[in-house]
Amino acid sequence: MIRAATVDDIAEIRAMIRELAEYERAAEQARATEEQLREALFAEVPAAFVLMAEDDETGQAVGYALWFPRFSTWTGRRGMHLEDLYVRSYARGGGHGKALLASLAAVCQQNGYERFEWWVLAWNEPAIGFYKSLGVELLDEWTVCRLSGEPLEQLAAQAPAVINRTSGKDSCPH
């Protein structure tokens, strides 16, 4: 079964985020707290959304997909960015990953989203093979860029006065 996450799923979502980070060899980078997830996923204006995969027989959470809308200046339309897709190792091969992706594709269709995009680690051959079996196009001409920590702080310090740095929150118009 695939369903929208509820606030009662926060602990399970956080646990699976940690499991995913361990699988991706980056456990130390998964620092989100339950409170941060609660605020991000269930605020008046959520930052992201989660679908849960449950085992039909036991009702236990076996996976999740966390996504958020994005916008393409080229198409002039919204799309979907899948941040996390995770199925617990013991449940892999049971159709949960495909059901999550199909449900997300349906969300795209229902909302008029033109693109459904995500990243996959280059070494994750099982995931790449699975995605290819679904007809996914791998865009190897693009490179992911990330700015964080000290370099992010240094660049932010160079921002013109137009940006409100005193609020500590997103000050760009929505």
Side-chain angles (χ1 to χ4, degrees), residues 29-82:
Q29 294 178 41
R31 300 184 313 262
T33 66
E34 287 185 25
E35 185 55 38
Q36 288 171 316
L37 292 170
R38 184 177 293 104
E39 183 178 315
L41 301 175
F42 299 101
E44 186 176 329
V45 179
F49 304 90
V50 174
L51 292 181
M52 301 291 290
E54 291 182 347
D55 181 87
D56 289 334
E57 294 177 19
T58 67
Q60 287 190 306
V62 295
Y64 78 102
L66 187 145
W67 67 276
F68 52 87
R70 57 179 302 168
F71 180 77
S72 169
T73 58
W74 289 13
T75 67
R77 303 199 44 201
R78 283 184 173 225
M80 176 184 287
H81 176 80
L82 175 61

Side-chain angles (χ1 to χ4, degrees), residues 9-167:
D9 294 314
I10 294 292
E12 200 68 49
I13 293 167
R14 183 173 183 273
M16 288 191 283
I17 289 170
R18 298 274 311 153
E19 292 168 25
L20 174 60
E22 289 172 17
Y23 176 77
E24 293 184 347
R25 305 171 189 157
E28 70 286 348
Q29 294 178 41
R31 300 184 313 262
T33 66
E34 287 185 25
E35 185 55 38
Q36 288 171 316
L37 292 170
R38 184 177 293 104
E39 183 178 315
L41 301 175
F42 299 101
E44 186 176 329
V45 179
F49 304 90
V50 174
L51 292 181
M52 301 291 290
E54 291 182 347
D55 181 87
D56 289 334
E57 294 177 19
T58 67
Q60 287 190 306
V62 295
Y64 78 102
L66 187 145
W67 67 276
F68 52 87
R70 57 179 302 168
F71 180 77
S72 169
T73 58
W74 289 13
T75 67
R77 303 199 44 201
R78 283 184 173 225
M80 176 184 287
H81 176 80
L82 175 61
E83 180 68 15
D84 290 350
L85 176 68
Y86 178 72
V87 175
R88 288 181 158 146
S89 59
Y90 65 84
R92 292 183 191 143
H96 303 291
K98 186 173 183 179
L100 283 164
L101 288 171
S103 296
L104 292 170
V107 170
C108 287
Q109 293 284 290
Q110 292 163 3
N111 289 290
Y113 295 169
E114 188 168 311
R115 294 179 177 169
F116 177 18
E117 298 175 327
W118 63 93
W119 304 337
V120 61
L121 291 166
W123 59 259
N124 194 343
E125 298 281 335
I128 292 169
F130 170 60
Y131 298 148
K132 284 182 176 180
S133 77
L134 299 175
V136 167
E137 175 187 9
L138 298 177
L139 304 176
D140 58 6
E141 69 271 13
W142 292 89
T143 300
V144 176
C145 299
R146 177 177 293 157
L147 191 61
S148 61
E150 184 66 25
L152 175 63
E153 291 174 22
Q154 289 174 356
L155 185 58
Q158 299 172 41
V162 175
I163 301 296
N164 179 356
R165 287 182 261 158
T166 61
S167 70

